[in-house]
Structures are given as structure tokens and as C-alpha cells.
Amino acid sequence: MLNKFQNQLIQNFSFLRDRKLLLAISGGVDSMVLLHLLNHLNYDIAIAHCNFNLRGDESNGDEQFIRDYAKENNIEVFVASFDTNSFADTNKLSTQVAARQLRYEWFNQLLQENNLDYVLTAHHLDDNIETFLINFTRGTGIDGLTGIPQQNNTTVRPLLSFTRDEIVAYANNECIKWREDSSNASDKYLRNKLRHDVIPILKALNPSLATSFQDTLNHLQQTQSLAEDASDIMYQKVVRDVDNGKEFDIEALKKLTNYKAYLYKWLQNYGFTAWGDIYTLLDAQSGKQILANGYRLLKDRNVLLLESEKQQDKKQYEISIGKLGINEPLQIKFSDVSILSKELVKNEIFVDKGLIKFPLFVKKWKEGDYFYPLGMKGKKKKISKFFKDEKMSLSEKEDTWILYSENEIIWVIGKRADDRFKVTKSTTQILKIEVL
């Protein structure tokens, strides 16, 4: 196994040779073999051990075992003790997920604080088979069937091509000591049920299961690569970046064969799960939306708009006559002028100061608000109807601020001024209002 492992390092992990490596060592046979191999090959290593305090004295025994090994072999060791159950309860996580989150957050912290380059874990081929079956039984796309990656950013798994039987045989031949985790004997977890009950049957049916599985995994990874390439090409045709998120062209999307698969691929990392509702959204009326994990997917006429979920600002911002100007939510400047500008621009208006009643307020519109749009000869119009006629998206409506004098609208800011406050021949004071 040592020669095979060394060849693996040369072929697939040559970048590890001159790096400082942090080995995640539990004390089990897999991690102790990994530790033995890298130490024997004179790699620059340190040990990280997590005490999750889930097995009482046994957990403490694992910790002491690791500390003793590190001392005997003159290897730097880092140990962290976690109240895993409390963390799981507080964050509403399963024990396994909580332990994983605590573990990897701590590993990343160690890398940054101690100038270490990579974390190495002892995942092996049997772990990969178990993960494949777990994802398969729960329902997954192809991403869930391609196995544990050999490298994930700074996390490297150099034992993935070795079976547990190979690892145990090597440990016995080299007289490597390890600790047995009593929880591995329990069928409380799905992984253990598969390990104890399902995989032995599969191995009995096919003694070459490990080799067959590795071949299947390679085929699936190649298929995934093809799917990724197709996804990238179609993405360029369907999706475009906009100021507030991403727009999916519904017409272009529907022209794709298996367009639902593409949409799933592009949205799966945003926390959406109600896929049936998302596919229905394509034919829903404009304004319908689906929320998930701080994001929303909005049907806006001919597009789906993906953006961060907005928190509506319900505050109102006062402008007094003694302090003409505000810096939030917009930077608005007021100034007395004697003439009007010849050019009309969206970020400024001119009003008859004598018609305005202070204080003024900047706030969001509410249903039922109306104004008299400048240039419409005194015709009254609801704000909602104005937005519709301007073909504004829901996002644009939410981002629009209104300037009020008492309960009367002076300006739909950046869109249209109110006719009631316009400058006329009888105006004696002209007030310029501009958004900077």
C-alpha cells in the first residue's frame, strides 16, 4: 500500500510535497494509517483532532491517544473540544451536520492562523460508496452521484482510491494502533445501516464491487463534465446579469430541450426546493414570486428575475425648512434658483416653493396613493397605474421613493413630478430639487 500511496501522491497530489499539511485525525484506523503514511514519507505535517464530546470517556480517551502519539513522534498537534449537542440544538441541525460544520470551520481557522496550506482527511473508497448510496436513496441529481471529490479548495483526500480492507490490512501489517469508535457499531445512522446491511450484500453479488464502482464513478464524472459544458453554453443564451440580480429569458429558456434541468442546475445553489412551483412560475402572471434562503425568484413579464430578497423600508425621512437636504435614503439637495434649466433631466425638478408645505417627507408609496403627473393637463392618476403604464418591474417599484408635501405627492423621484407644484408665470420663488 505504501508504494501505491506514494505513486498516488506523485501522480495526483504532487503539489503537497513542499506544503505544510494539517491532518484531520480522529484516532480511527483510516486516519491513523494516513498519518503513518505521510509521516513515513517525511511530509511536513501537523495533527488536528476534534473532541465532539459525544461519547463521554471514550471521546476523552481518543483525545489522549492522539496527544500521546503526537508527543511520541514529535508532531505538532491542535485539539478542539466542542459542545456538539448544544450547537446542534441552537442551530437546529442534526448531530452529524453540526459536527461537520464545527470541524471544517475550525480547520479553516487553523489554516489561516498557522500558515498551513491544506487539510487532509482520510476518506476512502468505502466512504465514497456509502455517500453514493445515501444520495441515491434520498433522491439526487447527477452531482450527488459523482462521489466525494479528491480535492475541495484546501481540503484534500488522498485515500479515496483505497478500500477499507486495504487500509486495515496495512495497519495490521505495520502494527499501527488505532481507536475503535463504538458509535460505528450502531445502526442509528443511515450510513451505518448501509455499511452493515447493504454493502456486504452488494459485495457478495459482485466481489469486484470496488473496481466496478470506481469505473461507474469515472463515467458519471465524465457525464457531469459534459453537462457542465452544456450548461455553461446555454447559460450565455438565457441568462444576463442586471443591476439587482440575474434575468432568465423565459422564451429562450423554453426553447431548450429539458429546460427544467437547466433551470434546476442554475438555481440549486440558491436554496430553492419547491421545484414544481418554480416551473409553474414560468407561465404565472407577472408579479408572482418564490422565496428561499434570502433570495427570491420573481416572474416579471417575459423574464424570471433572481435577486436577494428585499426588506421593505417603512421609514419616512423628514426634510424641514431649516435643513433643506437629506443624505438617506437618497442624497437630495434643495436650492433656490432664479431660472429653470433648459434641459430636463430625471434626477432634478423645479417647483413653486410657495406651494410647498414643510416639513416634507421621503417615503415609499402605499396602495391608493395618487398624483397629477406633470404634462398630463391636470389628470389624476394612481401611483400603481403610473407604474404599470411605465412598465416598471416589481423590483423597480420597490426601489422607488416618493417626495411628499403633507399627503400630496411632489415627485415620484427620478420618474415624474406632480403638475400641482409646477413653476408658472405667477411663481415668485423657484426651488430646485435634485438627487445627487
Side-chain angles (χ1 to χ4, degrees):
M1 179 177 176
L2 177 62
N3 290 334
K4 180 180 175 182
F5 182 74
Q6 191 169 19
N7 289 334
Q8 279 274 51
L9 292 178
I10 294 171
Q11 293 174 13
N12 301 318
F13 306 103
S14 59
F15 58 89
L16 295 178
R17 169 45 78 183
D18 297 318
R19 301 293 182 176
K20 297 181 69 175
L21 311 178
L22 182 68
L23 309 189
I25 305 300
S26 66
V29 62
D30 317 321
S31 63
M32 293 307 295
V33 165
L34 177 64
L35 176 56
H36 179 274
L37 288 167
L38 288 166
N39 192 34
H40 184 79
L41 294 172
N42 297 314
Y43 277 76
D44 188 357
I45 60 175
I47 294 172
H49 176 75
C50 300
N51 184 343
F52 293 109
N53 291 292
L54 294 173
R55 293 176 286 114
D57 291 341
E58 188 178 329
S59 292
N60 295 330
D62 292 346
E63 177 182 329
Q64 192 58 52
F65 173 72
I66 296 300
R67 288 186 184 276
D68 292 341
Y69 183 97
K71 184 177 181 180
E72 290 169 11
N73 291 273
N74 196 30
I75 301 173
E76 185 177 16
V77 62
F78 302 94
V79 175
S81 181
F82 300 109
D83 187 349
T84 310
N85 285 327
S86 178
F87 181 82
D89 291 341
T90 300
N91 295 279
K92 298 180 180 178
L93 303 171
S94 69
T95 303
Q96 289 177 308
V97 172
R100 175 182 173 80
Q101 185 172 324
L102 288 168
R103 177 167 67 245
Y104 282 101
E105 285 180 357
W106 181 55
F107 290 163
N108 290 330
Q109 180 183 340
L110 287 175
L111 292 184
Q112 294 173 8
E113 293 178 353
N114 297 277
N115 295 318
L116 297 161
D117 296 301
Y118 295 97
V119 174
L120 272 63
T121 70
H123 291 93
H124 50 73
L125 186 56
D126 288 63
D127 291 323
N128 226 346
I129 296 173
E130 291 162 12
T131 299
F132 174 94
L133 292 173
I134 288 171
N135 292 337
F136 176 76
T137 57
R138 289 175 174 170
T140 182
I142 192 170
D143 289 350
L145 299 178
T146 53
I148 304 169
Q150 284 191 326
Q151 184 177 356
N152 229 350
N153 300 319
T154 56
T155 302
V156 180
R157 305 173 180 91
L159 289 182
L160 277 178
S161 61
F162 296 89
T163 66
R164 179 175 170 79
D165 289 343
E166 287 179 283
I167 291 169
V168 171
Y170 180 80
N172 287 327
N173 289 337
E174 297 296 321
C175 299
I176 298 171
K177 295 180 181 179
W178 72 85
R179 298 270 296 179
E180 286 291 352
D181 184 340
S182 62
S183 66
N184 288 335
S186 169
D187 283 344
K188 176 182 177 182
Y189 302 114
L190 175 58
R191 184 176 293 275
N192 286 354
K193 290 180 181 178
L194 293 170
R195 182 181 302 163
H196 299 152
D197 301 332
V198 177
I199 293 176
I201 295 175
L202 295 177
K203 288 182 176 179
L205 292 171
N206 179 11
S208 302
L209 177 66
T211 303
S212 300
F213 173 76
Q214 195 68 63
D215 290 341
T216 298
L217 211 58
N218 290 335
H219 294 321
L220 287 170
Q221 288 169 349
Q222 291 169 11
T223 302
Q224 183 194 35
S225 180
L226 290 174
E228 290 283 354
D229 291 343
S231 174
D232 290 343
I233 293 170
M234 295 304 131
Y235 186 90
Q236 300 301 321
K237 296 181 179 181
V238 175
V239 187
R240 72 184 185 98
D241 291 328
V242 292
D243 289 341
N244 50 342
K246 298 180 184 296
E247 280 188 355
F248 299 77
D249 185 319
I250 293 176
E251 183 179 355
L253 179 64
K254 284 188 169 181
K255 288 181 180 179
L256 302 179
T257 305
N258 298 320
Y259 69 83
K260 293 180 180 179
Y262 284 107
L263 200 54
Y264 174 86
K265 173 67 177 175
W266 298 332
L267 294 176
Q268 63 177 333
N269 291 329
Y270 292 94
F272 292 99
T273 56
W275 298 106
D277 293 339
I278 287 175
Y279 304 142
T280 301
L281 195 63
L282 295 171
D283 299 309
Q285 66 184 49
S286 192
K288 293 289 186 181
Q289 61 182 0
I290 295 173
L291 305 178
N293 199 33
Y295 291 91
R296 73 173 179 181
L297 191 64
L298 167 70
K299 171 69 178 294
D300 183 22
R301 295 187 292 276
N302 299 319
V303 301
L304 293 182
L305 176 62
L306 174 68
E307 61 181 2
S308 296
E309 185 181 351
K310 294 186 177 180
Q311 301 298 319
Q312 191 71 11
D313 190 342
K314 296 181 180 180
K315 291 172 61 178
Q316 62 179 19
Y317 301 84
E318 183 175 324
I319 304 162
S320 66
I321 194 167
K323 187 179 180 182
L324 286 180
I326 56 173
N327 291 316
E328 62 171 334
L330 305 169
Q331 189 176 4
I332 303 178
K333 178 183 176 183
F334 294 76
S335 52
D336 293 312
V337 297
S338 56
I339 58 173
L340 306 181
S341 297
K342 292 183 179 180
E343 294 184 10
L344 293 176
V345 292
K346 285 187 175 182
N347 70 320
E348 66 181 29
I349 62 170
F350 296 86
V351 299
D352 188 328
K353 189 174 181 180
L355 300 176
I356 291 175
K357 296 178 182 178
F358 288 91
L360 307 181
F361 296 96
V362 174
K363 54 186 178 180
K364 294 295 178 70
W365 69 286
K366 63 182 183 298
E367 197 64 46
D369 280 356
Y370 65 88
F371 76 134
Y372 294 80
L374 184 66
M376 289 189 62
K377 299 179 181 179
K379 290 185 179 179
K380 178 179 175 180
K381 196 169 201 177
K382 284 189 174 183
I383 292 293
S384 56
K385 180 67 165 62
F386 172 74
F387 286 163
K388 183 177 180 181
D389 292 345
E390 291 291 305
K391 298 186 177 355
M392 291 170 61
S393 69
L394 177 60
S395 183
E396 289 174 316
K397 295 174 189 176
E398 291 174 342
D399 289 339
T400 299
W401 292 91
I402 312 287
L403 177 64
Y404 292 84
S405 171
E406 292 187 330
N407 292 320
E408 295 182 335
I409 291 175
I410 300 174
W411 187 18
V412 180
I413 297 177
K415 303 295 181 183
R416 188 77 66 88
D418 191 294
D419 191 76
R420 291 170 292 180
F421 300 92
K422 68 183 178 183
V423 175
T424 65
K425 291 180 180 180
S426 60
T427 299
T428 57
Q429 288 180 290
I430 301 174
L431 184 65
K432 178 182 177 182
I433 308 174
E434 60 181 323
V435 177
L436 302 179

